[in-house]
């Protein structure tokens, strides 16, 4: 039986999807005039940049995608290239959300549409991206990666996790839970 090298990624996707749902819910409420916590968007940007991007995407890019290419997947015109392109598109949406939230906190009153466009764009992109990874790329990875590369991959994941603060994942989980409780109230 092969060692599973994508299970940790699927588990991380669950928390990312919960934040995406909050971004969508709060943006709908913002557009309806029922939400005005612009700090939420800066916290969402923090979550996305640090948990989803620097932590999760970094593991994918430095370990999983590298292993796939090293084991025969083309670097260009491939699922890996498509996922990397989507990571970059997501980063652009996040910059747009952050700029709109910062402008509003600085006194601008015309940023709802800009924020909504970037928030919805990010949510749609990432939800589809995660679906492709969970249903296509990760199962493909489990089929094609040889057993001999898997222990090194799991060690690379452990090193990435050890490189962040001890309560890193708990911090972001608590952030999501706090905003979920707020949204449910």
């Amino acid at each position: 039986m092969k060692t599973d090298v994508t299970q940790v990624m699927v588990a991380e996707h669950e928390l990312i999807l919960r934040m995406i749902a909050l971004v969508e819910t709060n943006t709908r409420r913002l557009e309806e005039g029922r939400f005005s916590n612009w700090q939420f968007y800066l916290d969402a940007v923090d979550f996305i940049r640090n948990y989803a991007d620097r932590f999760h995407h970094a593991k994918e890019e430095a370990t999983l995608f590298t292993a796939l290419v090293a084991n025969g997947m083309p670097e260009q015109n491939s699922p890996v290239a498509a996922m990397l392109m989507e990571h970059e598109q997501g980063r652009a949406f996040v910059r747009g959300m952050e700029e709109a939230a910062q402008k509003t906190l600085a006194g601008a009153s015309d940023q709802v549409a800009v924020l909504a466009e970037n928030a919805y764009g990010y949510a749609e992109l990432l939800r589809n991206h995660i679906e492709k990874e969970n249903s296509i790329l990760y199962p493909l990875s489990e089929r094609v990666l040889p057993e001999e590369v898997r222990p090194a991959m799991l060690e690379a994941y452990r090193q990435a996790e050890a490189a962040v603060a001890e309560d890193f994942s708990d911090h972001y989980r608590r952030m999501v839970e706090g905003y979920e409780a707020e949204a449910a109230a």
Side-chain angles (χ1 to χ4, degrees):
M1 179 150 148
K2 290 185 177 179
T3 306
D4 189 321
V5 292
T6 59
Q7 182 178 359
V8 66
M9 301 299 182
V10 171
E12 290 168 3
H13 279 167
E14 291 172 15
L15 189 60
I16 295 166
L17 287 167
R18 288 169 62 191
M19 177 54 86
I20 289 169
L22 284 165
V23 166
E24 289 173 316
T25 297
N26 288 339
T27 301
R28 271 192 305 279
R29 292 173 56 217
L30 177 73
E31 290 176 308
E32 295 165 356
R34 298 185 304 117
F35 186 78
S36 60
N37 181 0
W38 289 83
Q39 182 60 44
F40 162 77
Y41 292 101
L42 296 181
D43 288 344
V45 165
D46 172 56
F47 173 93
I48 293 163
R49 283 207 176 123
N50 289 298
Y51 186 85
D53 202 15
R54 291 189 183 116
F55 183 66
H56 174 78
H57 290 165
K59 285 195 277 188
E60 284 180 338
E61 292 173 5
T63 304
L64 180 63
F65 296 173
T66 301
L68 286 168
V69 170
N71 285 278
M73 184 173 283
E75 200 166 345
Q76 302 299 317
N77 300 317
S78 71
V80 167
M83 295 298 102
L84 290 170
M85 184 180 72
E86 289 180 1
H87 287 177
E88 284 304 316
Q89 291 171 331
R91 291 173 185 130
F93 283 127
V94 170
R95 282 190 299 276
M97 276 195 312
E98 180 181 43
E99 289 169 10
Q102 286 177 337
K103 286 178 183 177
T104 298
L105 289 169
S109 60
D110 60 348
Q111 295 297 301
V112 171
V114 174
L115 185 123
E117 179 183 341
N118 284 285
Y120 291 138
Y122 179 79
E124 181 179 1
L125 174 77
L126 251 286
R127 185 170 276 116
N128 291 333
H129 177 85
I130 287 170
E131 175 60 28
K132 286 184 266 189
E133 286 181 339
N134 285 354
S135 64
I136 299 167
L137 185 63
Y138 292 175
L140 174 67
S141 300
E142 292 299 344
R143 286 194 305 277
V144 303
L145 288 171
E147 181 59 34
E148 59 268 15
V149 304
R150 293 166 182 258
M153 291 176 69
L154 294 177
E155 180 56 29
Y157 296 159
R158 277 192 289 279
Q159 288 176 6
E161 290 163 8
V164 297
E166 188 175 326
D167 70 339
F168 178 85
S169 291
D170 289 338
H171 166 74
Y172 287 108
R173 185 172 312 285
R174 284 191 306 272
M175 175 191 286
V176 169
E177 289 168 353
Y179 280 118
E180 285 172 335
E182 186 180 291

